[in-house]
Each structure stands twice: as C-alpha cells, then as structure tokens.
Amino acid sequence: MNVRRTTIKDVAEAAGVGVATVSRVLSGGSASPETRERVLNAATQLDYRPSALGRNLRQRRSGGIGLLVPDITDSFYGRLADGVLACARSAGEPVVLGTTGDDAEREAEQIGMLLEQGVERVVAVPAGNAEIWEPTLRTGLTMVFAHRPVTARDDVPAVLADDRAGVRTAVDYLTGLGHRRIAYLGGPGQGQRVAAFRQSVGALLDEELIVFARGSRDSAYAAAAGLFQHRPDLTAVLAGGNQLGEAAVLAARELDLRVPKDLSLVMFDDVPWAELCSPPLTVIAQPAQDIGYRAAELVLRAGARRPRGVLLPTELIVRGSCGPRRTP
C-alpha cells in the first residue's frame, strides 16, 4: 500500500503558517521562538523529514531546472520559457515549470515544491525581495534571475534586458515629438524601469503621471483608465509591459482618446498583436527568448566559479502609435 509522503504544505497547515515560514524555519532563517517551536512540533508530529529534502539536498537532487515565471499566458514570459526549454532540451535536462502570479508567498510555495522534487537549479523571474529569497539561497540551490534582478542580491547572476537604454530611447523619441507631459504605466518588479524613466524625463518629471497596477489585466485596465481620466492633459504614455500596453489601448478606446492624435503610446515588448493594432504600436523590443536561453545556460554552467550576469540590448521599433504633441 502506498502511503502519501508528508509535504511542506502539510507542515504549514498543521502549524497555521505559510509555506514560506516553514521553509524559512527549516533552513535556519529568522522566525519568532513561538513560530519556530510550532513549525518544528508540526514537522515532528507529521514525521516530516527535511533531511531527505534539505540537509541532504545536494546528495539527493535529481537534476533538472526549475523555472518560475509570473504568468505563462503572458506572451513575453511564454517566449522566455521557450528559451529556457530550448537550452534545457539541448542539454538533456528536464524543466519543472511554476507560476507565481507575481506574489511572493506563492513564489515561496513554488520553491518549496521544487525542493521537494529534488530540483537542483532554478531560473526565476523573481517576485519577492532579498529577504524573501534569503532562505532559498541558503539551501544551496543554483540560482539565476531572469528579466528582473533582486535588489541587494548581487551575488546571484541575472540575465536582463537593458531597460535603462530602452526607456531613455523611448523618452528621447517622445520629447523629440514635442511631448512634455509623459506618463509611465508600471507593474510589479519594474523598479529599474521606473528609475530610468524618472532619470530620462528629468525636469519634465511629474510624479502624478507615474502609476502602478498589480499583476492582473483588470488592475492594469483600472490603472490606465484612472490615469487618463485624472490627467487629461497628458499627451504620451510609456507602458512598462505588453499587458499594460493592452490596457492602455483598451482604456483609450473606451474614453474616445485617439491614438496618436490625442495620445501617443509606446509599449515594452514586441508581441504579435502590437503590429495588428490600428494604428500599429511603437514598442521597445526585448529579446525574451534569448533572456530565457542565456539564463538556462548560466544556471547549467554554474559551478565553483559564479557566472557573471548578462545585459542584452533592447530596440525601439517605430510604428504608428506616436505623433506630434497635440496643441490645445
């Protein structure tokens, strides 16, 4: 008779805490004495054996690459995953895919599951901050971040697109068309892009024109529509991702804003539908598949010597969604 093995989720439920807390306690991370005792008692009562998964992890790992992305239905992350899969396939390595929804708690849960499956290398588009990732990095997993870095974790290599150059080129293009009130529509994990935007617009910066959405289409639409209604004086917007760009297009249509006559729009990510819009969207193209492929290469090659990160170029592709600043 097969007896189901106790999992980290079982321990979390018994202790009344999250999977991230259990992972933190069992890997020696910070927790209150009460929480630590509750987790350890639950692990003992359930006969959970972290030695098979944690202390002896390096001896018992089964290989393969874990891949964590926010949303596999987002075409950017789909192409990034394709790159990881292509590299892993050429190396004969399996890939275990998990989605995080850009939620740090869910990310920690996915990491716990990867550990239980004996995965020894992980490529992640991180949702959590350095504190969230600390317990995971202490387990000895080989890590590479893709698309986004984690602030204060320079010890983990990252494969990134050159956001700074991409934003600067887009802002220069818009200001060259006469735009002065330029908005930024952002989402989770876009700290570097926002910093580059603030630097690029310089004296034209208006903090009210920087708005953020959570990681969902509904939130993106609400943020875009709210921005356009609250600031009818803006004449151009830079959308920080294709989901945000889609929201900007839909909100502009609903509010009878004509692109580019009333509103110029530039979007990060050159997705297939961008060229099919009317007018076709000007985009900052990112090499999503290359980011995934190079991240997988780094995580497979990592050994005693830590690999260096990779910065890949972006490209401004000018189409029909930008025009001269409208006059009152």
Side-chain angles (χ1 to χ4, degrees):
M1 181 178 68
N2 291 327
V3 178
R4 188 176 75 87
R5 181 167 55 84
T6 300
T7 69
I8 195 169
K9 289 186 70 176
D10 297 327
V11 176
E13 290 175 6
V17 297
V19 171
T21 301
V22 176
S23 176
R24 189 161 57 247
V25 169
L26 296 181
S27 60
S30 60
S32 69
E34 180 186 351
T35 298
R36 183 179 301 279
E37 183 177 359
R38 199 159 69 241
V39 169
L40 294 176
N41 284 342
T44 300
Q45 291 169 7
L46 294 173
D47 196 26
Y48 179 68
R49 295 191 175 95
S51 58
L53 309 165
R55 290 193 297 269
N56 293 333
L57 194 57
R58 294 182 183 180
Q59 287 77 25
R60 299 180 64 91
R61 283 180 185 158
S62 59
I65 300 173
L67 172 60
L68 299 178
V69 297
D71 178 6
I72 197 63
T73 67
D74 183 312
S75 62
F76 175 83
Y77 296 121
R79 286 181 289 131
L80 187 152
D82 278 345
V84 172
L85 289 166
C87 182
R89 187 164 51 247
S90 67
E93 292 280 358
V95 175
V96 181
L97 174 66
T99 58
T100 67
D102 263 323
D103 178 82
E105 185 73 21
R106 186 168 156 192
E107 180 176 70
E109 183 176 325
Q110 292 288 332
I111 292 166
M113 292 178 181
L114 291 175
L115 289 171
E116 290 193 344
Q117 292 177 59
V119 172
E120 58 184 356
R121 307 175 185 92
V122 176
V123 172
V125 178
N129 57 23
E131 183 180 355
I132 295 293
W133 276 96
E134 179 64 28
T136 299
L137 296 173
R138 276 208 298 266
T139 66
L141 276 176
T142 301
M143 285 293 315
V144 171
F145 294 134
H147 182 51
R148 304 173 188 161
V150 170
T151 305
R153 291 307 317 212
D154 295 336
D155 55 324
V156 179
V159 180
L160 311 170
D162 192 347
D163 285 348
R164 186 182 299 275
V167 170
R168 184 172 59 245
T169 301
V171 170
D172 287 349
Y173 175 62
L174 291 170
T175 56
L177 291 171
H179 295 282
R180 295 297 177 265
R181 294 186 179 91
I182 304 171
Y184 184 87
L185 183 59
Q190 294 191 6
Q192 284 199 328
R193 289 182 186 173
V194 175
F197 178 78
R198 287 192 172 101
Q199 185 177 36
S200 298
V201 297
L204 300 176
L205 178 63
D206 182 342
E207 288 290 345
E208 278 196 351
L209 294 180
I210 300 177
V211 298
F212 292 94
R214 296 184 299 277
S216 71
R217 282 180 166 79
D218 287 346
S219 177
Y221 179 83
L227 172 66
F228 297 160
Q229 290 174 313
H230 181 60
R231 291 297 300 267
D233 58 324
L234 72 85
T235 62
V237 62
L238 173 56
N242 67 78
Q243 192 175 90
L244 296 160
E246 176 186 298
V249 170
L250 294 174
R253 184 180 302 161
E254 289 293 321
L255 296 170
D256 293 324
L257 292 172
R258 297 163 296 178
V259 177
K261 189 171 183 180
D262 299 323
L263 180 72
S264 289
L265 173 61
V266 180
M267 176 182 77
F268 261 94
D269 302 341
D270 187 20
V271 292
W273 60 261
E275 201 167 4
L276 301 177
C277 282
S278 180
L281 298 189
T282 294
V283 299
I284 302 166
Q286 304 178 92
Q289 191 162 9
D290 286 349
I291 290 173
Y293 195 97
R294 296 291 292 275
E297 276 188 328
L298 285 188
V299 85
L300 287 170
R301 290 176 182 174
R305 186 176 180 181
R306 184 177 74 88
R308 298 178 62 183
V310 176
L311 189 66
L312 298 174
T314 56
E315 178 188 3
L316 181 69
I317 300 176
V318 176
R319 295 184 180 126
S321 63
C322 296
R325 174 174 62 96
R326 68 171 185 265
T327 54

